[in-house]
Amino acid sequence: MSFEVFRDVAQPIIAGFGITARRLAEQKVTVQYPDDRREQFPRTRWRHVLTRYDSGLERCIGCSLCAGACPARCIYVEASENTDQERYSPGERYAKRYEINMLRCIFCGYCQEACPTGAIVLRKDFELANYEREDFVYTKEMLLEPIRG
Amino acid sequence: MSELIQIGAARPKAPQPQDLTLRWSERAVEELEALKGHYPDLKSLILPALWISQREYGGHLPPEGIAEVAARLQRTYAEIEGVATFYSMYNTAHAPGRHMIEVCTCLSCHMCGAYRLADILEEKLGVKMGETTEDGVFTLHEVECLDACDRAPVIQVGPDYLDPQATLQDEGGEAKMRAWVDRLIDDLRSRPEPSSVRLADTVVQVHVRATER
Amino acid sequence: MAAVANVPLVKVSINDVEIEVPKGELIVESVKRLGLEIPIFCYHPRMKPVGMCRMCLVEVGFKQQDGSVRKMPKPQAGCTLPASEGMVVYTDTEPIHADRRGVLEFLLINHPLDCPICDRGGECPLQNNTMAYGPSTSRFIELKRHLPKAFPLSTYVTLDLERCIQCGRCVRFTEEISGDHDLAFRFRGADMQPSTFQLTDFESKFSGNVIEICPVGALTSAKYRFRARPWDLETTPSVCTVCSNGCNVWFDHRAGKFVRINGRANEAVNEEWTCDKGKFGHEHYNAADRPTQPLVRQGDGFAPTSWSGAYDPVLAAFAEGGDRVAALVGPRVSNEALFLLRRLFERAFKSARVSSNWRRTPGSGSVQGTIADVESGGPVLVFGTSLADDLPIVHLRLRKGATNAGARVVNAFSRPTEVDRFAAVSLHYRPGSELALARGLHGLLAGTGATAEAVEAETGVPADRLREAVEVLKEGGTALSSQGLYDLSDGPQIVEALAGIARATGGRSECWATGANEQGAIELGLAGEGATATLQACAEGRVKALWLVAADPFALHPDRALVERALETVEFLVVQSPVGSEALAYASVVLPTALPAEQDGTYTNCERRVQRVQPAVPPPGDGKPDWRVFSECLLRALPETPLFNPREVMEAIAAEVPAFAGCRYEALGPEGTVLGGNLLDTPDEPAMVGGQA
């Protein structure tokens, strides 16, 4: 093995492994997903959530402004009227149906911006994969956050 | 197709003109007839007719009183009610007491102690402005200028203007007012005839006389 | 306001542009000629200006001798300012901008800003004007006024007093347009609120219009409440098919479902108004019981089938033909479907038993004038019809004629109607004495020796009233009635007597249809023997197979027992219906079809105006338009090329039916076309086969 071969072939390999060996000692960037999960950035915009007031009432009033603002036209809202017997939100109006088609959503956050009550917010849950196209239409029940104990 | 129209459901309906109970006296009807000649059409007659109705319904314009005017003038109820509720001298909101005491609090009266007089009246009757005493005899009201600044502070009871002949600035003015109010209330209490009816009648008579001119 | 002849023109300058406008035209209208706009709330082109909202302020000046402009010291309301010679108007100056900001800031002081839940949000003049001219923020930090929200003023109208900006449009509508004066402003100042007497039911038959003209969300529709936002809606120009007036409407729909009806301007028909029946009478589009697929009888129930599976038994049953098969058509079937039905029965079944008249109808000569004619100002005799119920838009036009053009109206009906409010003379006759009254009036007018006292004895109408009526009618004019009158036992004689009145006075006599396409069916020659005769033939077993086309005999025919007997007796019953009906229970075959706004076609209204309806929403399930059903039956029954689209059908109608001569889709203007008018003058374009439908 001539000196040239050592210099051109073996030395770079050794040097390369050397870098790897040094990095092994440092903290790792990748995580063992799904066992380990990385902390999301504070302003990450992923899956929508319909929030509630502390009283448990829905913030959404079914005004459909999110649907109007949506550039992908992926939100469908059907409103109805609260009664004293059946009250979902504080005012007169609530969303009877609220659906977002996640296949069409581009996660731009305009809906959040348009919402007058802060009902729809984009949170950090990004695991939206599914098997059927129909399952990507998220209904109001899926989007509503649970009532806090 | 039968699924179409079901106009009107559970909402209360205004009475049909033929279902109204007309309560005006014969004299009132005669007065209205006399007034008809004085105006170009029935619409112009709404204000005097409301005064007649206020008199006939005991110094108060209940919905029935408004409806009766509408029926007699062949206007709609809503139109008459709009007129009646616009003017504050038609007592549409609630029935006043037997005597309605209206205290002028405009500039001249104010300067001569109208609010002090009002306080004395409130104290004496035990009610606030706009309220009626429990026995239903007195209603106290604050009104704008009564056009009697020379007599300030002045109050109106029915068609009569009354004044304590003393101002707050006078020597012992407040005491005079107090004594006058005591006398006034006792005097009014002894009069059974409702003063608001008398007021309405006075206004009607002015209108009727105007037609005779 | 359109320029009226004989009005002198004056030169005005608007934003330094000189234009000529008719003298007295309101400035708010004049600026539209330059394509400019003045923001408005209370002004409405069809009502008298009141200058209540102060939104339309403009700077006004006059040219002086030396050529300079001397402005008035204060801005003027453009909606109450008539144009005059040498007027100089500025709509876009800094002081005006400040004024508009001020006006809007005041209006918004008590406006609740609940736009997100307000039905008007998105199509609200207050929103639009605030965006365009208003202040960006409010300086008002005090408590706003609080009043009842969502008060149900009537079954149809919801009143939100907080949102009211007190423009008075609704009050003026009931006063000036509908004439019932059901609304008025109660109280005054900040407490002023438009409402009915003691908040009782808002009973007007035209109440829906106040929802449309309200510039905020104070008056909203109870039926449309929270159903959609304006940006969710698609809209299609359409024609209302509830009655025979043929009002032009906007058919608003969302995701293929009907949502609401709004008035669409057509100066020749409804101007821009609708009646409540039309505005709120389209809920059956969303009815749950609409048939969605063809059904064939199987024992006590029905089995769903394909269209061809339904056609086969139908054509087999009707193949016998002749007098043994019959069809009854409802009043809401398009001209095209009517024509193809007649062709199917004539050519394939060799039967003439196709009837559209559920009651007796006069021939096609009973319509001479147009709806717009009734407001021309001549005397009108309304006879035997409650106009606001039977012909609502004619009612509005007649009232306009009476109040604006001074038309003297004589109203003859057995009970008080809305027409009495503006009629010069009201004749309330005893029910059943119509003929005596019509003949009596004729006699009095023609001077044949009849006396008013004799007529009074017969009809119960005071003789003085009769003489007054004769005084009014002497000057000529129109005798107006609806076909409900013709259906009375002595109807033809009454209508003949009315024609006699018209002849005696030199006027016209009109007897107008009340069903959406009743007149079209008469023109197309489908009047036939009449439903009663057909049903009797069915009940007696002389008709073997009956085809009901969009007709529920239980709703359309007064004799329930006869209908039941007929439907039970007839061997084969085809119920072709867009909606669920009682007759479905008797059907052998059910064919689901489309409602008017779900198909292409034309309708002929009471004044013989042909108007086009376009498909706005799809019919539910496998539903097909009526004309297509007949076209497909023709294809199966006869070895000839059927007509494949409504445009071709209309061309065939124009070629075969003299009344429709020249009536092609290209010739129907935006306002529709009155039959026998100037149709024949239109240039002869080549037929567009398979063109856009």
Side-chain angles (χ1 to χ4, degrees):
Chain A
M1 197 161 60
S2 71
F3 173 70
E4 282 75 20
V5 173
F6 177 75
R7 188 191 65 194
D8 292 348
V9 177
Q11 194 188 16
I13 291 172
I14 293 164
F17 277 120
I19 292 170
T20 309
R22 280 206 307 281
R23 288 281 189 273
L24 277 174
E26 289 180 16
Q27 197 182 352
K28 291 168 192 66
V29 177
T30 52
V31 294
Q32 286 300 316
Y33 180 84
D35 296 336
D36 301 333
R37 279 153 199 268
R38 180 181 289 154
E39 178 64 17
Q40 301 272 317
F41 287 107
R43 278 156 56 176
T44 310
R45 292 197 303 247
W46 275 113
R47 207 198 95 164
H48 313 67
V49 172
L50 284 171
T51 57
R52 291 179 190 271
Y53 289 105
D54 291 339
S55 62
L57 287 175
E58 296 162 15
R59 280 177 195 262
C60 180
I61 50 172
C63 72
S64 204
L65 280 170
C66 44
C70 181
R73 308 286 283 149
C74 67
I75 307 182
Y76 179 86
V77 186
E78 221 177 270
S80 192
E81 193 162 6
N82 281 312
T83 57
D84 286 335
Q85 290 80 38
E86 228 179 310
R87 180 159 287 283
Y88 297 88
S89 68
E92 295 166 65
R93 183 172 175 142
Y94 75 97
K96 191 170 70 182
R97 270 177 75 187
Y98 192 106
E99 286 167 9
I100 299 182
N101 184 345
M102 290 296 174
L103 285 175
R104 294 182 74 172
C105 179
I106 57 169
F107 301 96
C108 65
Y110 281 8
C111 46
Q112 182 171 351
E113 228 171 89
C115 185
T117 59
I120 184 115
V121 287
L122 277 70
R123 294 238 169 112
K124 294 172 185 172
D125 174 15
F126 57 90
E127 292 150 316
L128 301 171
N130 221 323
Y131 294 100
E132 301 287 334
R133 281 173 176 272
E134 290 72 31
D135 295 338
F136 283 95
V137 176
Y138 278 50
T139 61
K140 185 184 168 194
E141 291 69 37
M142 298 157 80
L143 292 166
L144 258 181
E145 71 177 358
I147 299 175
R148 271 167 288 181
Chain B
M1 285 168 201
S2 50
E3 74 279 9
L4 279 184
I5 316 299
Q6 295 111 35
I7 287 186
R11 300 270 311 118
K13 290 190 187 303
Q16 291 296 311
Q18 60 268 22
D19 300 337
L20 288 176
T21 327
L22 299 182
R23 279 176 43 186
W24 282 20
S25 62
E26 261 174 51
R27 174 178 157 228
V29 178
E30 275 165 28
E31 280 164 350
L32 186 73
E33 288 304 317
L35 285 167
K36 275 183 184 168
H38 191 53
Y39 294 94
D41 54 31
L42 292 178
K43 187 174 182 175
S44 325
L45 202 59
I46 294 175
L47 290 181
L50 282 169
W51 274 115
I52 299 178
S53 200
Q54 175 145 315
R55 184 190 69 196
E56 297 296 316
Y57 281 78
H60 164 49
L61 263 183
E64 301 80 50
I66 293 171
E68 179 156 357
V69 171
R72 290 190 184 276
L73 298 185
Q74 288 136 42
R75 319 292 308 176
T76 62
Y77 302 139
E79 185 182 3
I80 306 294
E81 195 190 25
V83 175
T85 51
F86 182 88
Y87 293 103
S88 56
M89 285 177 78
Y90 296 123
N91 301 320
T92 49
H94 52 82
R98 198 165 80 215
H99 298 294
M100 189 143 91
I101 302 177
E102 292 167 301
V103 187
C104 170
T105 54
C106 258
L107 189 64
S108 306
C109 292
H110 184 184
M111 294 186 67
C112 294
Y115 279 107
R116 190 69 211 118
L117 180 62
D119 287 346
I120 296 170
L121 278 164
E122 285 185 352
E123 205 178 297
K124 171 87 184 165
L125 297 174
V127 292
K128 295 268 172 235
M129 283 292 173
E131 291 176 359
T132 305
T133 53
E134 267 177 28
D135 55 5
V137 179
F138 295 102
T139 300
L140 201 54
H141 265 299
E142 183 179 343
V143 292
E144 298 306 322
C145 187
L146 289 174
D147 187 25
C149 300
D150 54 323
R151 300 168 69 179
V154 70
I155 66 167
Q156 183 181 2
V157 181
D160 303 324
Y161 279 15
L162 307 166
D163 62 295
Q165 295 181 332
T167 67
L168 203 58
Q169 285 80 11
D170 290 348
E171 187 100 356
E174 193 176 335
K176 277 186 194 165
M177 279 188 196
R178 216 172 267 281
W180 176 75
V181 165
D182 290 344
R183 282 201 307 280
L184 173 78
I185 298 300
D186 291 341
D187 180 37
L188 288 176
R189 223 182 266 285
S190 67
R191 291 198 202 175
E193 191 194 357
S195 60
S196 44
V197 173
R198 264 196 320 132
L199 171 64
D201 187 49
T202 313
V203 177
V204 173
Q205 295 318 319
V206 168
H207 279 283
V208 173
R209 273 202 302 282
T211 60
E212 290 164 358
R213 267 203 302 272
Chain C
M1 254 168 247
V4 186
N6 307 327
V7 175
L9 295 179
V10 291
K11 276 205 181 70
V12 299
S13 153
I14 295 168
N15 293 353
D16 295 325
V17 181
E18 291 245 332
I19 57 164
E20 285 198 328
V21 300
K23 187 176 182 185
E25 186 184 65
L26 299 173
I27 291 300
V28 67
E29 290 290 330
S30 299
V31 300
K32 289 183 190 165
R33 293 170 186 268
L34 292 179
L36 298 174
E37 193 205 38
I38 295 179
I40 47 167
F41 290 119
C42 71
Y43 175 73
H44 192 283
R46 296 185 203 276
M47 295 191 270
K48 287 186 204 118
V50 286
M52 281 176 94
C53 70
R54 316 312 291 175
M55 193 64 216
C56 59
L57 293 176
V58 289
E59 278 194 291
V60 175
F62 281 93
K63 282 236 168 65
Q64 303 298 301
Q65 296 287 340
D66 58 358
S68 65
V69 172
R70 192 164 155 231
K71 281 187 186 173
M72 289 192 196
K74 300 242 172 102
Q76 304 290 310
C79 73
T80 52
L81 192 67
S84 58
E85 184 65 41
M87 192 177 259
V88 181
V89 179
Y90 293 98
T91 67
D92 209 18
T93 59
E94 194 41 54
I96 291 300
H97 291 173
D99 291 338
R100 287 174 183 165
R101 270 198 303 278
V103 168
L104 278 166
E105 190 169 7
F106 272 125
L107 285 180
L108 292 175
I109 276 183
N110 273 327
H111 193 78
L113 295 186
D114 54 357
C115 303
I117 63 154
C118 174
D119 272 337
R120 201 77 170 139
E123 51 178 10
C124 172
L126 183 60
Q127 268 187 339
N128 295 348
N129 283 342
T130 305
M131 289 296 284
Y133 307 104
S136 51
T137 53
S138 170
R139 292 175 288 173
F140 190 76
I141 50 166
E142 289 80 3
L143 268 180
K144 295 196 178 216
R145 116 194 117 164
H146 281 290
L147 289 164
K149 292 186 85 71
F151 182 83
L153 207 54
S154 75
T155 330
Y156 300 131
V157 183
T158 306
L159 173 66
D160 189 315
L161 284 170
E162 280 186 1
R163 295 182 190 143
C164 177
I165 59 165
Q166 302 165 341
C167 71
R169 270 189 178 187
C170 50
V171 173
R172 280 148 59 214
F173 173 84
T174 61
E175 188 181 341
E176 294 176 25
I177 307 290
S178 71
D180 42 52
H181 213 319
D182 270 358
L183 293 179
F185 273 127
R186 297 162 85 209
F187 312 113
R188 66 176 174 190
D191 300 326
M192 195 158 85
Q193 38 184 266
S195 65
T196 51
F197 173 67
Q198 297 290 313
L199 292 172
T200 45
D201 197 28
F202 181 23
E203 285 180 280
S204 172
K205 284 168 183 160
F206 303 92
S207 65
N209 292 296
V210 303
I211 297 164
E212 275 176 67
I213 58 175
C214 180
V216 290
L219 293 160
T220 51
S221 164
K223 301 280 171 197
Y224 170 66
R225 190 168 164 78
F226 297 164
R227 265 172 73 176
R229 307 308 305 268
W231 54 85
D232 294 331
L233 294 176
E234 289 172 81
T235 189
T236 310
S238 188
V239 173
C240 173
T241 51
V242 171
C243 82
S244 64
N245 288 177
C247 292
N248 288 219
V249 294
W250 292 108
F251 188 95
D252 287 1
H253 46 101
R254 179 187 191 190
K257 291 266 180 207
F258 161 76
V259 174
R260 66 170 176 183
I261 291 286
N262 275 340
R264 181 161 66 95
N266 184 340
E267 297 302 326
V269 184
N270 57 325
E271 298 185 304
E272 66 186 66
W273 312 119
T274 53
C275 71
D276 283 359
K277 282 197 233 170
K279 193 172 170 71
F280 304 107
H282 287 73
E283 295 299 326
H284 54 293
Y285 277 83
N286 294 339
D289 63 346
R290 290 188 60 179
T292 53
Q293 54 186 339
L295 305 169
V296 288
R297 163 123 353 236
Q298 211 168 54
D300 283 344
F302 288 109
T305 177
S306 65
W307 274 96
S308 57
Y311 285 146
D312 292 340
V314 170
L315 290 173
F318 279 77
E320 186 183 342
D323 262 0
R324 303 272 287 158
V325 300
L328 288 174
V329 200
R332 280 180 210 167
V333 180
S334 68
N335 290 326
E336 287 77 2
L338 288 172
F339 177 77
L340 285 182
L341 173 68
R342 200 187 70 172
R343 179 178 272 200
L344 176 70
F345 267 69
E346 272 178 4
R347 295 198 183 167
F349 306 148
K350 306 283 185 276
S351 167
R353 271 213 150 130
V354 184
S355 264
S356 70
N357 50 341
W358 290 85
R359 51 190 189 201
R360 278 191 292 179
T361 48
S364 66
S366 64
V367 182
Q368 294 155 14
T370 62
I371 291 177
D373 285 346
V374 301
E375 65 174 49
S376 61
V380 177
L381 167 66
V382 180
F383 197 95
T385 175
S386 171
L387 219 49
D389 291 311
D390 292 346
L391 302 161
I393 293 304
V394 177
H395 174 84
L396 290 188
R397 300 295 285 247
L398 182 63
R399 185 180 181 279
K400 191 174 161 198
T403 50
N404 295 4
R408 310 248 294 149
V409 178
V410 177
N411 182 37
F413 198 51
S414 51
R415 57 188 162 79
T417 69
E418 281 80 358
V419 182
D420 292 337
R421 296 203 178 114
F422 58 86
V425 186
S426 295
L427 313 172
H428 295 153
Y429 51 79
R430 276 196 293 269
S433 65
E434 289 89 354
L435 182 59
L437 181 60
R439 284 200 173 143
L441 279 174
H442 181 206
L444 290 170
L445 278 161
T448 53
T451 63
E453 280 71 20
V455 181
E456 177 180 354
E458 277 188 279
T459 61
V461 182
D464 293 345
R465 290 275 184 82
L466 286 166
R467 284 193 206 96
E468 281 173 46
V470 167
E471 280 305 306
V472 172
L473 294 173
K474 262 200 317 213
E475 292 151 35
T478 312
L480 197 63
S481 58
S482 74
Q483 292 185 356
L485 180 71
Y486 195 86
D487 192 42
L488 297 173
S489 58
D490 43 9
Q493 292 95 306
I494 300 172
V495 173
E496 181 46 42
L498 291 177
I501 292 175
R503 274 197 302 277
T505 60
R508 291 193 318 271
S509 165
E510 312 272 7
C511 184
W512 282 353
T514 51
N517 207 20
E518 238 178 346
Q519 192 61 40
I522 294 170
E523 303 293 339
L524 286 166
L526 265 83
E529 59 182 355
T532 312
T534 306
L535 287 172
Q536 254 154 12
C538 294
E540 288 160 18
R542 283 184 281 124
V543 167
K544 206 186 100 190
L546 178 66
W547 197 323
L548 292 173
V549 182
D552 181 4
F554 290 102
L556 287 165
H557 201 274
D559 189 351
R560 211 188 148 78
L562 172 66
V563 173
E564 263 174 24
R565 208 144 33 84
L567 298 193
E568 275 167 15
T569 315
V570 76
E571 275 175 42
F572 194 85
L573 178 68
V574 182
V575 178
Q576 177 175 337
S577 175
V579 290
S581 79
E582 231 178 303
L584 288 181
Y586 300 87
S588 311
V589 173
V590 177
L591 302 176
T593 52
L595 282 163
E598 293 166 348
Q599 56 182 299
D600 202 350
T602 57
Y603 283 79
T604 313
N605 79 351
C606 59
E607 51 166 352
R608 311 204 312 157
R609 180 181 299 277
V610 179
Q611 301 187 101
R612 178 107 179 260
V613 177
Q614 287 165 12
V617 289
D622 292 341
K624 281 185 183 179
D626 290 309
W627 70 267
R628 184 175 285 282
V629 172
F630 302 134
S631 175
E632 286 174 359
C633 286
L634 272 165
L635 178 66
R636 279 153 199 273
L638 290 177
E640 59 181 65
T641 316
L643 299 161
F644 280 118
N645 63 42
R647 184 179 296 267
E648 282 179 24
V649 181
M650 190 38 104
E651 271 156 23
I653 296 175
E656 285 184 30
V657 184
F660 281 81
C663 189
R664 297 191 317 271
Y665 279 6
E666 294 82 12
L668 301 178
E671 295 191 339
T673 308
V674 179
L675 288 181
N678 52 0
L679 271 171
L680 293 171
D681 309 336
T682 50
D684 200 25
E685 289 165 33
M688 283 168 62
V689 176
Q692 79 268 23

